[in-house]
Amino acid sequence: MYQLLEKNEYNSISNMFQLHEGFHVIAGPCAIESKDQIRKIVSFLAKKGVRFLRGGAFKPRTSPYDFQGLGEEGLKIMEYEAKQGGMFTVTEIMDPR
């Protein structure tokens, strides 16, 4: 589902994503909460020319009762909606296992 790239496959982020010179913004919610939330964010950001959607799918919390993210389902939602808006996805990895 997700492609890991070899370290030397691209010599820069610009080449990897075929970006033009200039300033690029990575924007999105701290936590992916729903399809509707991401759809609205993608719609807004795409109109502003943002090419990278970021969102947290796994949210470590000190309390087990707090929202901890949608996990893999959140990643699927973000990827689908980002593609609809012509955007790339970015998320953080908290534990590589």
Side-chain angles (χ1 to χ4, degrees):
M1 179 172 166
Y2 304 102
Q3 178 184 4
L4 295 177
L5 302 174
E6 291 296 321
K7 186 187 288 188
N8 297 319
E9 191 170 344
Y10 298 96
N11 61 4
S12 72
I13 296 292
S14 295
N15 289 342
M16 183 184 300
F17 294 106
Q18 300 174 354
L19 299 174
H20 303 291
E21 294 293 321
F23 184 77
H24 298 279
V25 174
I26 300 172
C30 175
I32 301 165
E33 297 176 9
S34 69
K35 288 180 186 180
D36 187 52
Q37 172 216 31
I38 296 298
R39 189 174 299 123
K40 288 176 182 176
I41 290 169
V42 165
S43 176
F44 176 82
L45 294 175
K47 289 176 187 172
K48 305 292 184 197
V50 175
R51 301 272 317 276
F52 294 91
L53 174 68
R54 62 93 45 216
F58 299 92
K59 305 304 294 179
R61 304 285 192 223
T62 55
S63 170
Y65 302 107
D66 291 339
F67 178 71
Q68 296 188 8
L70 296 178
E72 192 170 336
E73 182 62 25
L75 294 175
K76 291 176 184 177
I77 291 168
M78 184 171 67
E79 181 182 33
Y80 176 81
E81 295 300 335
K83 282 184 180 178
Q84 299 304 305
M87 301 171 77
F88 298 103
T89 58
V90 178
T91 193
E92 64 274 0
I93 298 173
M94 304 299 285
D95 184 343
R97 288 179 272 161

